[in-house]
Amino acid sequence: MNTPTQAPFRMRVATRADIDAVVGTLTTAFFNDPLWGPAFPDTERRAVQAAAMWRLYATSALRHHWLLVSENAEAAAVWIPPGREELTREESDRLPELLRRAAGRDVAEAVMTMGDQFAAARPRHPHFYLTLLGVHDRHRGKGLGMALLAESLAHIDALGAPVYLESSNPANLQRYESVGFSPVQEIVVATGHVVTTMWRPAAVFGPGAGGHAH
Protein backbone atom coordinates (compact mmCIF):
# COMPACT_ATOMS: atom_id res chain seq x y z
CA MET A 1 0.00 0.00 0.00
CA ASN A 2 1.32 3.43 -0.88
CA THR A 3 1.79 5.86 1.98
CA PRO A 4 0.54 9.37 1.12
CA THR A 5 3.26 12.00 1.17
CA GLN A 6 2.84 15.51 2.48
CA ALA A 7 2.66 18.16 -0.21
CA PRO A 8 5.87 20.20 -0.47
CA PHE A 9 5.81 23.58 1.25
CA ARG A 10 5.25 26.49 -1.10
CA MET A 11 6.06 30.09 -0.22
CA ARG A 12 4.80 33.05 -2.20
CA VAL A 13 4.65 36.84 -2.02
CA ALA A 14 1.32 38.04 -0.64
CA THR A 15 -0.93 40.36 -2.62
CA ARG A 16 -3.63 42.79 -1.54
CA ALA A 17 -6.16 39.98 -1.99
CA ASP A 18 -4.43 38.09 0.86
CA ILE A 19 -4.65 40.86 3.46
CA ASP A 20 -7.81 39.62 5.19
CA ALA A 21 -6.31 36.13 5.50
CA VAL A 22 -2.98 37.50 6.73
CA VAL A 23 -4.71 39.66 9.34
CA GLY A 24 -6.69 36.64 10.50
CA THR A 25 -3.51 34.61 10.81
CA LEU A 26 -1.65 37.30 12.75
CA THR A 27 -4.63 37.99 15.02
CA THR A 28 -4.95 34.36 16.11
CA ALA A 29 -1.19 33.81 16.21
CA PHE A 30 -0.59 36.65 18.67
CA PHE A 31 -3.84 36.49 20.65
CA ASN A 32 -2.16 34.71 23.58
CA ASP A 33 1.37 35.93 22.91
CA PRO A 34 3.08 36.89 26.20
CA LEU A 35 3.80 40.38 24.87
CA TRP A 36 0.96 41.19 22.48
CA GLY A 37 -1.79 39.47 24.45
CA PRO A 38 -1.47 41.66 27.56
CA ALA A 39 -0.94 44.73 25.35
CA PHE A 40 -4.67 44.42 24.58
CA PRO A 41 -6.02 43.42 28.02
CA ASP A 42 -9.73 43.25 27.14
CA THR A 43 -9.85 39.63 25.97
CA GLU A 44 -13.40 39.97 24.62
CA ARG A 45 -12.34 42.81 22.32
CA ARG A 46 -8.68 41.88 21.85
CA ALA A 47 -9.06 40.25 18.46
CA VAL A 48 -10.81 43.25 16.92
CA GLN A 49 -8.50 45.76 18.58
CA ALA A 50 -5.27 44.01 17.63
CA ALA A 51 -6.50 43.26 14.11
CA ALA A 52 -6.69 46.98 13.38
CA MET A 53 -2.96 47.26 14.10
CA TRP A 54 -2.00 44.06 12.25
CA ARG A 55 -3.94 45.26 9.19
CA LEU A 56 -1.97 48.49 9.06
CA TYR A 57 1.38 46.72 9.30
CA ALA A 58 0.49 43.99 6.82
CA THR A 59 -0.96 46.40 4.26
CA SER A 60 2.02 48.72 4.58
CA ALA A 61 4.42 45.82 4.00
CA LEU A 62 2.88 45.01 0.61
CA ARG A 63 4.89 47.77 -1.04
CA HIS A 64 8.17 46.00 -0.24
CA HIS A 65 7.12 42.71 -1.92
CA TRP A 66 8.45 40.87 1.15
CA LEU A 67 5.18 39.96 2.87
CA LEU A 68 5.67 36.21 2.49
CA VAL A 69 3.01 33.59 3.10
CA SER A 70 2.30 29.89 2.80
CA GLU A 71 -0.01 28.84 -0.01
CA ASN A 72 -3.25 29.87 1.69
CA ALA A 73 -1.72 32.38 4.13
CA GLU A 74 -1.94 29.92 7.03
CA ALA A 75 1.52 31.28 7.94
CA ALA A 76 2.73 34.82 7.32
CA ALA A 77 6.09 36.57 7.65
CA VAL A 78 6.33 40.35 7.47
CA TRP A 79 9.81 41.35 6.29
CA ILE A 80 11.25 44.84 5.85
CA PRO A 81 14.19 44.88 3.40
CA PRO A 82 17.41 46.82 4.06
CA GLY A 83 17.05 50.57 3.90
CA ARG A 84 13.23 50.50 3.98
CA GLU A 85 10.81 51.66 6.67
CA GLU A 86 8.23 49.52 8.43
CA LEU A 87 5.57 52.23 8.06
CA THR A 88 5.42 55.29 5.85
CA ARG A 89 5.61 58.67 7.59
CA GLU A 90 1.87 59.11 7.10
CA GLU A 91 1.13 55.68 8.56
CA SER A 92 3.39 56.34 11.55
CA ASP A 93 1.62 59.64 12.18
CA ARG A 94 -1.84 58.05 12.21
CA LEU A 95 -0.94 54.90 14.18
CA PRO A 96 -1.52 56.48 17.64
CA GLU A 97 -5.01 57.65 16.68
CA LEU A 98 -5.80 54.28 15.08
CA LEU A 99 -4.85 52.55 18.34
CA ARG A 100 -6.81 55.05 20.46
CA ARG A 101 -9.94 54.50 18.38
CA ALA A 102 -9.53 50.72 18.41
CA ALA A 103 -8.45 50.13 22.00
CA GLY A 104 -8.36 53.33 24.03
CA ARG A 105 -5.73 55.79 25.18
CA ASP A 106 -3.95 53.54 27.69
CA VAL A 107 -3.43 50.76 25.17
CA ALA A 108 -2.31 53.23 22.51
CA GLU A 109 0.26 54.80 24.81
CA ALA A 110 1.60 51.43 25.95
CA VAL A 111 1.95 50.09 22.41
CA MET A 112 3.60 53.27 21.15
CA THR A 113 6.07 53.18 24.05
CA MET A 114 7.00 49.60 23.19
CA GLY A 115 7.44 50.64 19.58
CA ASP A 116 9.83 53.39 20.66
CA GLN A 117 11.85 50.86 22.67
CA PHE A 118 12.09 48.51 19.71
CA ALA A 119 13.06 51.31 17.33
CA ALA A 120 15.84 52.45 19.67
CA ALA A 121 17.30 48.94 19.85
CA ARG A 122 17.17 48.19 16.12
CA PRO A 123 20.63 48.11 14.48
CA ARG A 124 21.46 51.01 12.20
CA HIS A 125 23.40 49.09 9.56
CA PRO A 126 21.49 47.44 6.68
CA HIS A 127 19.59 44.25 7.40
CA PHE A 128 16.36 42.40 6.72
CA TYR A 129 13.95 42.97 9.60
CA LEU A 130 11.49 40.20 10.49
CA THR A 131 8.76 42.21 12.17
CA LEU A 132 6.10 39.48 12.43
CA LEU A 133 5.99 35.71 11.96
CA GLY A 134 2.78 33.91 12.79
CA VAL A 135 0.77 30.77 12.08
CA HIS A 136 -3.01 30.63 12.27
CA ASP A 137 -4.30 28.78 15.33
CA ARG A 138 -6.00 26.16 13.18
CA HIS A 139 -2.71 25.24 11.50
CA ARG A 140 -0.26 25.14 14.40
CA GLY A 141 1.87 22.07 14.86
CA LYS A 142 2.38 21.42 11.15
CA GLY A 143 5.78 23.08 10.90
CA LEU A 144 4.46 25.86 8.65
CA GLY A 145 6.08 28.69 10.60
CA MET A 146 9.57 27.21 10.53
CA ALA A 147 9.16 26.16 6.90
CA LEU A 148 8.22 29.71 5.96
CA LEU A 149 11.12 31.09 7.97
CA ALA A 150 13.60 28.65 6.43
CA GLU A 151 12.53 29.44 2.88
CA SER A 152 12.57 33.18 3.60
CA LEU A 153 16.10 32.88 4.95
CA ALA A 154 17.21 30.93 1.89
CA HIS A 155 16.15 33.86 -0.31
CA ILE A 156 17.86 36.35 1.99
CA ASP A 157 21.04 34.27 2.11
CA ALA A 158 21.14 34.40 -1.69
CA LEU A 159 21.17 38.19 -1.35
CA GLY A 160 23.96 38.12 1.23
CA ALA A 161 22.10 40.11 3.89
CA PRO A 162 21.95 39.78 7.69
CA VAL A 163 18.64 39.46 9.55
CA TYR A 164 17.27 41.02 12.74
CA LEU A 165 14.17 40.25 14.80
CA GLU A 166 12.57 40.76 18.21
CA SER A 167 11.31 37.59 19.85
CA SER A 168 8.29 38.34 22.01
CA ASN A 169 7.94 34.74 23.18
CA PRO A 170 10.81 32.99 25.03
CA ALA A 171 9.49 29.65 23.74
CA ASN A 172 10.69 30.64 20.27
CA LEU A 173 14.31 31.45 21.14
CA GLN A 174 15.58 27.93 20.59
CA ARG A 175 13.76 27.72 17.26
CA TYR A 176 15.43 30.90 16.05
CA GLU A 177 18.81 29.78 17.32
CA SER A 178 18.40 26.54 15.35
CA VAL A 179 18.41 28.53 12.09
CA GLY A 180 21.37 30.73 12.92
CA PHE A 181 20.09 33.58 15.11
CA SER A 182 21.92 34.67 18.27
CA PRO A 183 20.51 36.78 21.13
CA VAL A 184 21.71 40.38 21.17
CA GLN A 185 19.95 42.18 24.01
CA GLU A 186 16.88 42.07 26.22
CA ILE A 187 14.23 44.79 26.17
CA VAL A 188 12.09 45.03 29.32
CA VAL A 189 8.69 46.56 28.58
CA ALA A 190 6.42 48.28 31.11
CA THR A 191 4.68 45.04 32.10
CA GLY A 192 8.05 43.51 33.00
CA HIS A 193 7.96 41.12 30.04
CA VAL A 194 11.32 40.57 28.36
CA VAL A 195 11.67 40.77 24.57
CA THR A 196 14.89 39.34 23.14
CA THR A 197 16.45 40.91 20.07
CA MET A 198 18.28 38.48 17.78
CA TRP A 199 20.74 38.74 14.88
CA ARG A 200 21.65 36.37 12.08
CA PRO A 201 24.80 37.23 10.09
CA ALA A 202 24.84 37.53 6.34
CA ALA A 203 25.71 34.48 4.29
CA VAL A 204 29.18 34.56 2.79
CA PHE A 205 27.82 34.42 -0.75
CA GLY A 206 25.40 36.56 -2.72
CA PRO A 207 25.55 39.68 -4.88
CA GLY A 208 24.07 42.04 -2.26
CA ALA A 209 20.70 42.75 -0.68
CA GLY A 210 17.68 44.67 -1.84
CA GLY A 211 15.71 42.60 -4.36
CA HIS A 212 12.27 41.07 -4.19
CA ALA A 213 11.30 37.63 -3.00
CA HIS A 214 10.26 35.35 -5.84
Side-chain angles (χ1 to χ4, degrees), residues 91-155:
E91 289 164 343
S92 294
D93 289 345
R94 65 184 175 90
L95 177 59
E97 180 59 26
L98 181 151
L99 287 167
R100 279 194 291 270
R101 289 199 312 267
R105 179 180 299 177
D106 290 347
V107 168
E109 290 180 355
V111 170
M112 295 304 297
T113 297
M114 288 194 300
D116 290 342
Q117 289 179 274
F118 298 157
R122 186 177 169 187
R124 298 293 174 245
H125 43 287
H127 58 272
F128 272 87
Y129 179 25
L130 179 57
T131 66
L132 295 165
L133 174 64
V135 178
H136 197 287
D137 257 356
R138 292 196 300 266
H139 298 279
R140 284 186 178 166
K142 301 177 181 179
L144 291 175
M146 289 305 293
L148 180 58
L149 178 59
E151 191 152 341
S152 300
L153 292 174
H155 282 266

Side-chain angles (χ1 to χ4, degrees), residues 23-198:
V23 172
T25 288
L26 295 175
T27 300
T28 67
F30 290 99
F31 189 88
N32 290 313
D33 182 80
L35 175 71
W36 291 111
F40 296 90
D42 184 344
T43 55
E44 292 187 358
R45 300 180 61 212
R46 178 183 294 169
V48 172
Q49 293 172 345
M53 181 177 70
W54 301 139
R55 182 172 297 276
L56 176 65
Y57 280 98
T59 304
S60 181
L62 286 173
R63 70 188 191 278
H64 301 308
H65 304 282
W66 275 91
L67 172 52
L68 306 181
V69 295
S70 57
E71 188 159 10
N72 295 305
E74 307 96 332
V78 180
W79 292 95
I80 309 300
R84 309 281 185 86
E85 293 299 326
E86 189 173 12
L87 298 176
T88 66
R89 183 183 297 273
E90 180 184 357
E91 289 164 343
S92 294
D93 289 345
R94 65 184 175 90
L95 177 59
E97 180 59 26
L98 181 151
L99 287 167
R100 279 194 291 270
R101 289 199 312 267
R105 179 180 299 177
D106 290 347
V107 168
E109 290 180 355
V111 170
M112 295 304 297
T113 297
M114 288 194 300
D116 290 342
Q117 289 179 274
F118 298 157
R122 186 177 169 187
R124 298 293 174 245
H125 43 287
H127 58 272
F128 272 87
Y129 179 25
L130 179 57
T131 66
L132 295 165
L133 174 64
V135 178
H136 197 287
D137 257 356
R138 292 196 300 266
H139 298 279
R140 284 186 178 166
K142 301 177 181 179
L144 291 175
M146 289 305 293
L148 180 58
L149 178 59
E151 191 152 341
S152 300
L153 292 174
H155 282 266
I156 292 169
D157 283 347
L159 297 171
V163 180
Y164 175 78
L165 61 82
E166 300 121 357
S167 177
S168 60
N169 190 339
N172 292 329
L173 296 180
Q174 190 171 356
R175 295 187 182 100
Y176 289 131
E177 289 173 345
S178 74
V179 290
F181 286 90
S182 298
V184 177
Q185 71 177 93
E186 294 183 340
I187 300 172
V188 182
V189 301
T191 61
H193 180 68
V194 175
V195 176
T196 303
T197 68
M198 306 189 80

